[in-house]
């Protein structure tokens, strides 16, 4: 009887393990839940709809004449900068909303369901790619309305858009990690802004690096945000893929390789 009982327990444990395909389906279901949340509370999209418009108008007309001589000459510089700043800044919401769901006990309810425990986390990150897409499209639309015509062509614009979304998705794993270790949603936002604010503004997003002090030039040149922006500029302004493009994708892969396992491990201990 002991042998049969142990065999029965082993079979139950094997059945309780979900296959990779089931895990993917569960994650997609959770991503759909995130999309429904956006539909029911469209105010969540205020940052990705208003920020590209306001920032593009404000920075272009304030700095355009001083830096490039006129607005039209500044657009090829500022549009990639605004694009990267806005989309990557949007990835902070991933960690904030994750912490809010954990505080509300949403994930406690998910634990009682026969789904992969990683599905709510993976689904949240997948759903946020919609936010990145909206921010990307609106930034290019605003640039077009203001007279910007990318010389790289439509194909290069599409590649640049996908490139920025992929990089932002990778960076969102960092903020997801903040979301599972922080105590409150406000602390997640505070920590994330403390990290992201210097990276975006101390880069080549708005002004040429050569105009900065020597010590700041050094930081701006090694800043990963600068590499992403340079890659986008090369793509949409010249239609070329250079070293910055490759470095940025390698960096994105490294971020996912490091933060995804750590985030999943910490999350599964708490979920």
């Amino acid at each position: 009887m002991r042998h049969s009982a142990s065999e029965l327990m082993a079979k139950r444990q094997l059945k309780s393990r979900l296959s990779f395909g089931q895990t993917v389906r569960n994650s997609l279901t959770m991503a759909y839940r995130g999309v429904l949340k956006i539909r029911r509370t469209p105010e969540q999209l205020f940052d990705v709809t208003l920020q590209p418009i306001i920032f593009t108008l404000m920075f272009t007309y304030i700095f355009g004449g001083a830096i490039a001589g006129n607005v039209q000459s500044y657009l090829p510089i500022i549009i990639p900068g605004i694009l990267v700043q806005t989309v990557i800044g949007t990835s902070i919401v991933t960690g904030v909303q994750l912490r809010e769901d954990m505080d509300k006990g949403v994930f406690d309810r998910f634990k009682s369901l026969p789904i992969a425990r990683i599905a709510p986390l993976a689904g949240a990150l997948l759903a946020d790619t919609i936010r990145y897409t909206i921010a990307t499209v609106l930034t290019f639309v605003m640039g077009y309305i203001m007279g910007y015509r990318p010389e790289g062509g439509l194909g290069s614009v599409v590649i640049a858009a996908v490139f920025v979304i992929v990089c932002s998705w990778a960076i969102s794993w960092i903020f997801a990690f903040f979301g599972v270790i922080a105590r409150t949603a406000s602390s997640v936002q505070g920590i994330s802004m403390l990290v992201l604010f210097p990276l975006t503004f101390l880069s080549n997003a708005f002004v040429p690096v050569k105009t900065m002090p020597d010590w700041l030039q050094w930081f701006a040149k090694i800043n990963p945000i600068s590499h992403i922006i340079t890659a986008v500029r090369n793509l949409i302004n010249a239609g070329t893929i250079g070293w910055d493009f490759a470095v940025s994708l390698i960096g994105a892969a490294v971020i996912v390789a490091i933060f995804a396992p750590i985030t999943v491990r910490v999350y599964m201990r708490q979920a």
Side-chain angles (χ1 to χ4, degrees):
M1 292 295 293
R2 291 181 181 179
H3 182 68
S4 60
S6 62
E7 286 183 348
L8 181 61
M9 290 183 63
K11 290 181 180 180
R12 287 179 178 177
Q13 288 178 356
L14 289 174
K15 289 183 180 180
S16 66
R17 295 178 181 177
L18 297 178
S19 66
F20 177 76
Q22 290 173 313
T23 301
V24 172
R25 287 193 292 272
N26 293 158
S27 299
L28 292 175
T29 301
M30 291 295 104
Y32 181 67
R33 168 185 173 269
V35 174
L36 291 179
K37 286 177 60 180
I38 294 176
R39 287 180 55 187
R40 293 171 182 172
T41 55
E43 60 269 17
Q44 294 182 28
L45 297 177
F46 282 174
D47 58 340
V48 297
T49 54
L50 296 180
Q51 184 172 321
I53 297 174
I54 295 174
F55 276 25
T56 302
L57 291 171
M58 183 174 64
F59 282 101
T60 300
Y61 288 110
I62 290 177
F63 299 125
I67 296 174
N70 57 73
V71 170
Q72 294 302 317
S73 299
Y74 189 51
L75 286 174
I77 300 174
I78 191 62
I79 293 300
I82 292 293
L83 172 64
V84 174
Q85 183 204 39
T86 301
V87 179
I88 291 181
T90 302
S91 62
I92 293 177
V93 179
T94 299
V96 175
Q97 292 184 345
L98 180 62
R99 183 70 260 171
E100 289 177 346
D101 282 347
M102 295 179 73
D103 290 341
K104 292 177 182 177
V106 174
F107 289 147
D108 290 334
R109 294 194 292 271
F110 288 152
K111 284 196 298 184
S112 63
L113 300 176
I115 62 174
R117 295 180 69 186
I118 186 56
L121 175 59
L125 269 70
L126 286 173
D128 280 339
T129 57
I130 296 177
R131 301 169 57 84
Y132 309 153
T133 303
I134 294 173
T136 300
V137 172
L138 282 179
T139 302
F140 279 123
V141 168
M142 275 304 302
Y144 188 86
I145 292 174
M146 297 175 69
Y148 177 52
R149 301 295 183 268
E151 296 183 4
L154 180 59
S156 296
V157 170
V158 173
I159 294 174
V162 175
F163 168 73
V164 172
I165 292 172
V166 169
C167 291
S168 299
W169 179 82
I171 293 174
S172 69
W173 278 102
I174 299 176
F175 302 124
F177 174 70
F178 293 158
V180 297
I181 65 172
R183 295 184 178 180
T184 63
S186 59
S187 62
V188 176
Q189 187 169 10
I191 295 171
S192 301
M193 288 299 297
L194 188 64
V195 173
L196 195 59
F197 190 84
L199 288 176
T200 53
F201 281 93
L202 300 181
S203 67
N204 61 352
F206 309 111
V207 300
V209 175
K210 63 182 180 181
T211 63
M212 302 177 183
D214 293 339
W215 62 270
L216 190 54
Q217 287 187 34
W218 176 84
F219 179 82
K221 288 178 181 178
I222 66 171
N223 187 343
I225 303 298
S226 294
H227 289 292
I228 297 175
I229 294 170
T230 301
V232 173
R233 283 177 181 153
N234 291 336
L235 270 168
I236 64 179
N237 292 328
T240 59
I241 295 178
W243 173 244
D244 294 283
F245 184 89
V247 169
S248 300
L249 288 182
I250 293 172
V254 171
I255 289 174
V256 175
I258 294 175
F259 281 92
I262 296 175
T263 304
V264 170
R265 189 176 297 111
V266 176
Y267 159 75
M268 294 184 71
R269 287 177 180 173
Q270 299 184 19

